[in-house]
Amino acid sequence: MSDLRASKRMRLKGLIVKEFLQIWRDPSSLSIAFLLPVLLLVMFGYGVSLDAKHVPVGWVVEQTTPETTSFMATFQHSEYFQSLYFADMPAAEHALQDRKIMGIIRLRENFSSQLFKQNSPAIQVVVDGVDANTARLVSGYVQGSWNEWLSHLSRSRGTTLSRPVVAEQRIWYNSAVLSKDFLVPGLIAMIMTLTGALLTAMVMAREWERGTLEAMIATPVTMGEVLLGKLIPYYLLGMGGMLLSIAMAVFLFDVPLRGSFLVLLLTGTLFLLVALGMGLLISIIAKNQFVAGQAAIVVTYLPAFLLSGFIFNIDSMPPAIQAFTYLVGARYFVAILQTVFLAGDIWPVILPNALALALMAAVLFTLAAKKAPKRLE
């Protein structure tokens, strides 16, 4: 029995060494594991932002008074807006139609006298709704600035501003509302999806193309040992890429890591097994490196990008699409990453998603083992 185990260990060790030598001879796997995460993180981390800054906004002041000057001053030092001034509404509306400005703030002629009167608006806001995100930002910022300025003016005059409801806003976990802190953790899941699937999508297809798989089947090596021998080297490469991505997120993009690093590693291992399992299954079925590479991108990366909650809110999707997202492994890892990075170790979020990843990994490797050839045809 001990000789049999020693023989299995020796065969597995030989397969792992063979795969590492293959990786060394063909550095494309090293590029996928280490260079691709760096390129994607830099490109997405710096290039993709949901924050709207320096949005051009037009001002129409029908009568300049100390109150209008005071209110306009609240926008002067904002990094979100760039103020442009127009003589009248037709000129401002023309600029809005030409998309030179994204909104108009009009301070009426009776602005000072109508400030605290009900049902008599002293300010008019017109927003370009073509870009819905920017439109919501302009509208919300003007509303918030208006309420804050009115409260400050009331206190300076020794009066109390009468409002039916006073909303006290508190933002947890990302108080600065930086989209970078939200996007970069999710981006790690996208990168691991792509690199994990691409790393293993080629391995079995390469053996098929070169005809070496038949040679291995003819030896005492079992198909389970073949799959394990191919999985372990690429798992180590994938974990190296993930550690590099986490380090870049923390030290390059200053994303806070409030949870446990160990939890991040363990859940990252589960997700990497899912990605590697998908690539391995694709590689076994495709039997062609080009087809396997294309299929890996289409089947893994695109659903992960669109349906994981990385950018688009899953709750806003139609019910049928929401149901489909449960088949996307990145959905669970994105939830874990955003929780561990920004909120900490929130176990009611981490545990169900980690169990889902473990189940997906088990299903994918079972399918890969069943689809793998066991004898010469």
Side-chain angles (χ1 to χ4, degrees):
M1 183 63 74
S2 60
D3 291 343
L4 184 60
R5 287 179 180 174
S7 177
K8 285 184 177 179
R9 280 197 299 271
M10 187 176 294
R11 290 200 300 266
L12 181 58
K13 183 180 176 182
L15 288 169
I16 293 172
V17 170
K18 168 190 169 297
E19 204 60 40
F20 272 121
L21 288 175
Q22 178 63 42
I23 292 170
W24 182 253
R25 290 181 187 130
D26 181 10
S28 61
S29 297
L30 294 173
S31 301
I32 292 173
F34 297 106
L35 185 59
L36 190 61
V38 172
L39 290 176
L40 289 177
L41 265 174
V42 170
M43 186 173 65
F44 279 86
Y46 286 114
V48 177
S49 174
L50 301 180
D51 301 327
K53 293 187 177 180
H54 308 296
V55 178
V57 173
W59 287 86
V60 177
V61 184
E62 296 180 349
Q63 183 180 17
T64 303
T65 63
E67 287 80 9
T68 60
T69 304
S70 173
F71 179 62
M72 292 167 64
T74 61
F75 284 77
Q76 287 180 351
H77 301 293
S78 170
E79 62 176 337
Y80 298 105
F81 296 101
Q82 176 188 359
S83 296
L84 301 174
Y85 302 95
F86 296 89
D88 49 36
M89 277 301 286
E93 289 171 353
H94 186 70
L96 187 71
Q97 291 171 357
D98 292 343
R99 306 214 68 189
K100 294 179 180 176
I101 57 176
M102 298 301 295
I104 302 171
I105 303 174
R106 178 187 184 187
L107 307 185
R108 296 182 186 278
E109 186 178 8
N110 54 0
F111 180 82
S112 300
S113 61
Q114 302 297 321
L115 278 177
F116 297 103
K117 292 183 179 179
Q118 299 290 333
N119 302 321
S120 181
I123 180 173
Q124 179 186 12
V125 179
V126 180
V127 178
D128 183 354
V130 173
D131 183 345
N133 184 53
T134 304
R136 280 193 292 268
L137 173 71
V138 174
S139 177
Y141 189 89
V142 172
Q143 182 68 47
S145 299
W146 174 249
N147 290 335
E148 184 66 25
W149 181 78
L150 274 183
S151 299
H152 178 74
L153 185 65
S154 300
R155 289 194 298 271
S156 67
R157 292 181 176 181
T159 59
T160 303
L161 181 62
S162 176
R163 283 181 288 184
V165 176
V166 178
E168 184 179 349
Q169 181 174 296
R170 294 181 182 177
I171 301 174
W172 287 14
Y173 308 131
N174 186 7
S175 56
V177 200
L178 296 174
S179 65
K180 165 181 67 69
D181 288 357
F182 170 76
L183 290 176
V184 170
L187 187 57
I188 294 176
M190 298 302 104
I191 292 169
M192 297 314 301
T193 301
L194 186 60
T195 56
L198 281 178
L199 282 173
T200 49
M202 306 294 180
V203 291
M204 292 298 285
R206 185 170 56 225
E207 303 291 352
W208 279 113
E209 286 185 349
R210 293 176 180 175
T212 51
L213 189 61
E214 288 86 347
M216 282 193 287
I217 292 174
T219 67
V221 174
T222 65
M223 187 48 64
E225 292 168 348
V226 171
L227 296 180
L228 203 57
K230 292 192 173 299
L231 184 66
I232 291 174
Y234 294 104
Y235 165 77
L236 295 176
L237 281 184
M239 288 303 291
M242 194 178 79
L243 290 174
L244 179 62
S245 301
I246 293 173
M248 289 182 67
V250 174
F251 298 110
L252 182 62
F253 294 102
D254 293 325
V255 180
L257 178 56
R258 300 192 174 102
S260 166
F261 181 68
L262 181 61
V263 171
L264 205 55
L265 280 186
L266 291 175
T267 53
T269 292
L270 290 176
F271 180 69
L272 186 57
L273 290 176
V274 172
L276 293 172
M278 291 184 74
L280 203 57
L281 182 61
I282 290 170
S283 186
I284 291 171
I285 295 173
K287 302 180 182 179
N288 178 283
Q289 291 189 72
F290 177 77
V291 174
Q294 298 296 313
I297 294 173
V298 174
V299 174
T300 62
Y301 183 70
L302 289 181
F305 188 86
L306 298 172
L307 303 176
S308 66
F310 163 55
I311 290 182
F312 307 109
N313 185 13
I314 293 176
D315 293 331
S316 303
M317 298 175 185
I321 301 299
Q322 286 188 39
F324 184 76
T325 62
Y326 288 103
L327 299 176
V328 179
R331 169 198 171 121
Y332 308 105
F333 195 43
V334 167
I336 292 173
L337 283 168
Q338 290 173 345
T339 301
V340 174
F341 265 96
L342 298 180
D345 297 335
I346 311 296
W347 296 110
V349 177
I350 295 171
L351 285 179
N353 288 294
L355 287 173
L357 288 176
L359 180 63
M360 288 190 74
V363 170
L364 285 168
F365 283 113
T366 302
L367 289 175
K370 287 185 176 296
K371 288 289 182 182
K374 297 178 178 58
R375 61 179 183 271
L376 294 172
E377 294 178 356

